Amino acid sequence: MDQLPVVTLAVLAFCFLGSVDSSAYDKIVTHSRIRARNEGPNVCALQQVEGTKKKYFSTCRNWYRKSICGKKALVLYECCPGYMKLDGMRGCPAVAPIGNVYNTLEIVRAMTTKSYYDESNLREQIEGPGAFTVFAPSDDAWEELDPAVRAALKSNVNIELKNALHYHMVNHRLLTKDMKNGINVTSMYNNQGIYINHYTNGVVTVNCARIIHGNQIATNGVVHVIDRVITSVAGTINEYLNNDEDYSSFLVKLNLPGHFTLFLPTNAAFEKLTPALVTYHLLNSVQCAEAIMAGSVYETKEGSTIEIGCDGESLTVNGIKMVLKKDIVTSNGVIHIIDQVLIPDSAKEVRELIGTSQSMFGDLVSEMGLTTNLDLNTEYTVLATKDNAFTDEVMADDTYLRLILENHLLKLKVPLSGLYNGQQLETVSGKLLRVFIYRTAVCIESACVLQGSKTGINGALHVMSSLIKPADKTIFELLEADGKFKTFLSLMETAGLLDMLKGKGSYTIFAPSDEAFKDLSKDDLDLLRSDLNALRTILLYHFSDGIFINGGLERRVTNLLRSMQGINLYVKHENNSIYVNSVEVPNSDLMATNGVIHVVKNVLYPKNLPVGRQDLLLVLQRLIKGTITITEIETKPSTKQVTRVIKTETPVSKKVVVEGSKTTKFTRVIGRQPSVSKVTRIIGGKQRKACT
């Protein structure tokens, strides 16, 4: 394995830490410190979304993609929380001075919040004894607050502003590691609750305001800087909806315990909504907008999933910008107002499930008149292919195109979970398609199912890797028609194995073309034919029981296929090519009614299978072209055979030893003359003679 730089290994190690007793926020800050280690001590690397002021301690995913919410992210280097720069020194070598909460607000540059504590006469409190947690809005957060709201606070500093600041305070020290996801802490304003969410990507929110600088320790507490001013939460989602009778149908569904995210359609969009679809707008978890840094899939109360992502400052739902207002915080969740109704796949007709990447498939099915019987009252399955599958060759003949498209429409509804190995699926034209299940793939004939399977109200949709062409010939018929496998077929006939290629079955065959035998003479081939046991052993090593196609092979690992000879074949998929026993497969996935053919240009032979005959060994070594090592005789228990002959002729003793074996054969002659021993040693197929 190539050696990775130490820094890279360190970062990767931290990216996969899961057992350390620290919070996700703390781990993300640690990652950022490692990424910036070349900038000096105590420097953290952050990502800033281009064109905005938003900065993040980034996840590994966003760091290596160099983007956040689909926008380019610029790398910044700043002092890690709690550290400071010193003039003339590299990095951030100084620890920030620890003072009381009031002085700490200046250290974290929350100057507006600090001034408001002066104006509201709360300075003495946060300078005095105690253990406070202050969620201090940044200066930018105050600037972004609605001007009318801010003016109202400043017009009554002794009541309104003081109450607002007290709502940002907790009367005990609360570090990010203490902020468990979903907890509710009591503020210092009328014991009103503050709602904490701590996400796996390191984002911590307080009433959906993100902590942008955490854990600044003070002598009498801790300060966390947040990116917006928070307000007290008034009631549950139900109570929010109850203020508008247009949302009454939601109330029946939301009168449940738990914490949720509700995507609430506007009144105009709501007219299209039926009660049955309400729960598709409800997530089983709280997802604040600031916690969304990239597209992620979440389960809805209805049972299916939706994807929540972001595009710059905007939230997206299933890839569409539709969120008009976000982060309305309630005591049992958060509401995002949307201008469209969300319709789950389960409520759509199958044809509506065809995506943009399969638009040509959908158009062609309609143009060919194949949708006539595919209505809402008919259950069927669509095996859609992406647009790039329709080459000029496929499009050239309408008759051929129609036949191809018919192969992608099944007569019954078959969701992904309903597919099993050996299953046969009937198409609208009456043809049967075979299903193959592998460790990491589900395939139909030689095409495999890609991500994106969906189940609709009257059927299912699967996105396929290629066009499907049902097999209509046996292995024998395909090889014979090709004309480049004459030698192989002749040897199969000699070995009495030709019926395997003609009859029923499910075989994977690595078929050697005539090119594999080009270096053999007629005498060599006759020698192969003369030893039927050896010939069958060689040929059966090219077969595996079961159908294994290219798409079913797991990438970047060795796939072991048990040959019908009994010893494993070693199959790998690398750089878009297949290799069997290190031999490249130039042509694969030739589907037959009784199996699949993969073409090889070399004869395969097991690495450690004994040959036993010198002449056959020499033929095989020419045939396999040095791609593997052959052991001549397998080690077996020691055996000795002795023939005693008493004669008066010149005594001669002959001894034959085959290296790698404990088997020895002696012919011993007892006479009056000194004995002569002749030894023949076979090493790597060559002979050396030694006389003593």
Side-chain angles (χ1 to χ4, degrees):
M1 186 180 84
D2 294 337
Q3 290 189 341
L4 294 172
V6 174
V7 174
T8 303
L9 286 172
V11 172
L12 289 173
F14 274 106
C15 285
F16 291 101
L17 280 177
S19 59
V20 178
D21 187 21
S22 60
S23 72
Y25 174 88
D26 298 328
K27 292 175 185 177
I28 292 295
V29 173
T30 301
H31 300 170
S32 299
R33 185 192 291 264
I34 292 173
R35 292 170 185 144
R37 63 191 302 170
N38 293 331
E39 304 299 316
N42 308 314
V43 177
C44 281
L46 291 86
Q47 285 182 296
Q48 181 174 3
V49 181
E50 191 174 46
T52 74
K53 294 182 179 180
K54 297 175 73 169
K55 295 184 289 188
Y56 295 86
F57 297 108
S58 284
T59 62
C60 294
R61 177 183 178 186
N62 290 328
W63 180 262
Y64 289 112
R65 289 186 175 181
K66 300 180 180 179
S67 67
I68 295 174
C69 286
K71 303 295 183 183
K72 182 178 179 181
L74 308 175
V75 176
L76 302 178
Y77 295 101
E78 298 181 358
C79 291
C80 295
Y83 296 91
M84 300 178 64
K85 288 184 174 292
L86 289 178
D87 291 341
M89 298 188 70
R90 187 166 172 267
C92 304
V95 177
I98 299 180
N100 57 46
V101 167
Y102 179 78
N103 293 330
T104 302
L105 290 172
E106 183 172 350
I107 293 173
V108 296
R109 300 176 185 175
M111 301 305 295
T112 302
T113 301
K114 182 183 179 186
S115 69
Y116 284 170
Y117 273 101
D118 280 319
E119 294 179 34
S120 59
N121 297 314
L122 289 177
R123 173 175 175 173
E124 183 177 350
Q125 183 179 25
I126 62 175
E127 283 183 326
F132 306 109
T133 296
V134 174
F135 297 107
S138 67
D139 289 352
D140 288 335
W142 286 108
E143 291 297 322
E144 292 169 4
L145 185 64
D146 186 299
V149 175
R150 188 174 182 184
L153 294 175
K154 294 188 68 174
S155 67
N156 192 350
V157 294
N158 290 322
I159 297 178
E160 298 298 335
L161 184 59
K162 179 183 288 187
N163 290 343
L165 292 174
H166 268 152
Y167 186 66
H168 287 74
M169 296 174 63
V170 178
N171 65 358
H172 61 272
R173 184 180 288 109
L174 195 65
L175 302 177
T176 52
K177 69 181 180 64
D178 305 314
M179 299 181 192
K180 309 303 181 184
N181 188 52
I183 68 170
N184 175 13
V185 298
T186 303
S187 76
M188 293 178 64
Y189 169 62
N190 286 344
N191 293 325
Q192 292 268 349
I194 298 176
Y195 299 90
I196 307 292
N197 288 98
H198 198 142
Y199 298 94
T200 56
N201 61 6
V203 171
V204 181
T205 61
V206 182
N207 285 12
C208 283
R210 179 169 62 95
I211 293 179
I212 57 178
H213 184 119
N215 300 328
Q216 192 70 41
I217 301 297
T219 56
N220 59 343
V222 61
V223 175
H224 307 285
V225 181
I226 57 178
D227 69 348
R228 73 181 73 163
V229 179
I230 61 175
T231 57
S232 59
V233 174
T236 64
I237 293 177
N238 272 2
E239 290 168 337
Y240 179 88
L241 297 176
N242 201 35
N243 292 329
D244 192 327
E245 63 181 13
D246 289 333
Y247 299 137
S248 59
S249 62
F250 270 95
L251 297 177
V252 177
K253 298 294 183 181
L254 294 183
N255 193 18
L256 301 168
H259 291 83
F260 310 101
T261 297
L262 173 63
F263 290 94
L264 181 63
T266 60
N267 290 346
F270 192 77
E271 295 175 359
K272 306 173 186 176
L273 188 65
T274 64
L277 298 181
V278 169
T279 51
Y280 186 62
H281 291 71
L282 190 66
L283 305 186
N284 289 312
S285 59
V286 176
Q287 298 300 327
C288 296
E290 282 299 312
I292 306 298
M293 299 169 66
S296 298
V297 175
Y298 300 90
E299 185 177 0
T300 69
K301 199 71 177 173
E302 178 258 352
S304 53
T305 60
I306 61 174
E307 181 183 15
I308 305 175
C310 49
D311 186 352
E313 298 283 344
S314 303
L315 273 185
T316 61
V317 183
N318 290 339
I320 301 171
K321 287 185 181 181
M322 61 173 71
V323 178
L324 302 178
K325 186 178 181 181
K326 54 192 177 184
D327 290 345
I328 301 171
V329 181
T330 71
S331 61
N332 66 333
V334 62
I335 300 171
H336 306 298
I337 306 294
I338 58 177
D339 63 1
Q340 298 182 34
V341 171
L342 304 177
I343 301 177
D345 292 338
S346 59
K348 295 178 181 177
E349 190 178 348
V350 177
R351 283 183 291 174
E352 297 179 272
L353 302 178
I354 297 176
T356 54
S357 66
Q358 309 109 48
S359 59
M360 183 178 292
F361 174 87
D363 293 342
L364 290 172
V365 168
S366 297
E367 290 175 16
M368 291 290 169
L370 296 175
T371 59
T372 305
N373 297 319
L374 304 181
D375 55 30
L376 193 57
N377 298 318
T378 304
E379 287 197 342
Y380 59 98
T381 298
V382 173
L383 307 176
T385 55
K386 294 188 175 182
D387 292 348
N388 58 10
F390 294 97
T391 61
D392 293 341
E393 180 184 357
V394 174
M395 300 291 289
D397 185 342
D398 283 355
T399 302
Y400 176 68
L401 177 60
R402 183 185 178 89
L403 291 174
I404 289 292
L405 293 173
E406 287 175 344
N407 296 335
H408 292 258
L409 301 173
L410 306 180
K411 284 185 175 180
L412 69 167
K413 178 180 179 178
V414 188
L416 186 61
S417 59
L419 295 173
Y420 58 88
N421 195 60
Q423 185 179 16
Q424 292 191 320
L425 307 172
E426 186 178 3
T427 70
V428 293
S429 62
K431 294 181 180 178
L432 296 178
L433 305 178
R434 296 165 295 180
V435 178
F436 309 115
I437 306 294
Y438 305 103
R439 263 176 47 91
T440 57
V442 175
C443 304
I444 299 174
E445 293 300 327
S446 62
C448 295
V449 179
L450 304 177
Q451 277 190 325
S453 290
K454 301 175 182 179
T455 301
I457 193 170
N458 65 328
L461 169 84
H462 306 299
V463 182
M464 307 305 297
S465 61
S466 59
L467 294 174
I468 298 172
K469 301 173 184 177
D472 57 3
K473 291 182 174 64
T474 65
I475 295 174
F476 175 78
E477 289 169 335
L478 289 175
L479 294 179
E480 185 180 47
D482 186 277
K484 297 177 183 176
F485 299 90
K486 294 177 181 177
T487 303
F488 175 70
L489 292 175
S490 172
L491 293 174
M492 288 288 291
E493 184 175 20
T494 301
L497 299 175
L498 204 58
D499 286 345
M500 286 180 61
L501 307 182
K502 296 179 178 180
K504 293 182 179 180
S506 295
Y507 303 117
T508 296
I509 174 175
F510 295 92
S513 64
D514 290 341
E515 185 178 347
F517 300 94
K518 66 181 181 180
D519 291 335
L520 297 189
S521 65
K522 182 180 181 301
D523 289 342
D524 293 333
L525 290 171
D526 289 342
L527 179 61
L528 281 176
R529 292 187 175 96
S530 68
D531 190 332
L532 291 183
N533 287 334
L535 181 60
R536 290 191 184 105
T537 296
I538 294 169
L539 293 174
L540 288 175
Y541 188 61
H542 292 74
F543 286 80
S544 183
D545 196 7
I547 296 178
F548 299 94
I549 65 171
N550 184 351
L553 298 174
E554 196 167 340
R555 272 43 173 176
R556 295 181 294 277
V557 297
T558 299
N559 299 260
L560 300 181
L561 302 187
R562 189 75 168 175
S563 77
M564 296 187 70
Q565 178 275 332
I567 297 178
N568 287 334
L569 292 157
Y570 299 84
V571 187
K572 294 191 76 172
H573 186 288
E574 291 181 339
N575 301 322
N576 296 319
S577 297
I578 302 177
Y579 297 85
V580 53
N581 293 8
S582 300
V583 174
E584 186 175 4
V585 177
N587 195 4
S588 63
D589 290 352
L590 305 179
M591 303 302 293
T593 56
N594 57 347
V596 61
I597 302 168
H598 305 300
V599 179
V600 290
K601 295 182 179 179
N602 278 36
V603 171
L604 307 176
Y605 195 84
K607 182 176 181 180
N608 296 315
L609 185 68
V611 176
R613 286 177 50 182
Q614 178 193 359
D615 49 1
L616 187 58
L617 171 63
L618 295 176
V619 170
L620 282 177
Q621 287 187 326
R622 286 200 301 277
L623 195 58
I624 64 174
K625 302 174 185 176
T627 55
I628 54 176
T629 302
I630 298 178
T631 303
E632 292 83 351
I633 296 293
E634 188 179 31
T635 301
K636 296 180 181 178
S638 178
T639 304
K640 180 181 293 186
Q641 180 178 342
V642 179
T643 302
R644 295 175 61 87
V645 181
I646 300 176
K647 296 182 179 180
T648 59
E649 298 174 5
T650 304
V652 178
S653 178
K654 182 178 181 181
K655 177 182 179 183
V656 178
V657 179
V658 183
E659 187 169 279
S661 171
K662 294 182 180 179
T663 302
T664 308
K665 180 178 180 180
F666 292 95
T667 299
R668 185 176 180 190
V669 180
I670 299 176
R672 299 180 179 180
Q673 302 295 326
S675 65
V676 178
S677 177
K678 180 180 180 183
V679 180
T680 301
R681 295 172 61 84
I682 302 175
I683 302 175
K686 297 181 179 180
Q687 296 187 18
R688 295 185 304 182
K689 295 183 179 180
C691 296
T692 58

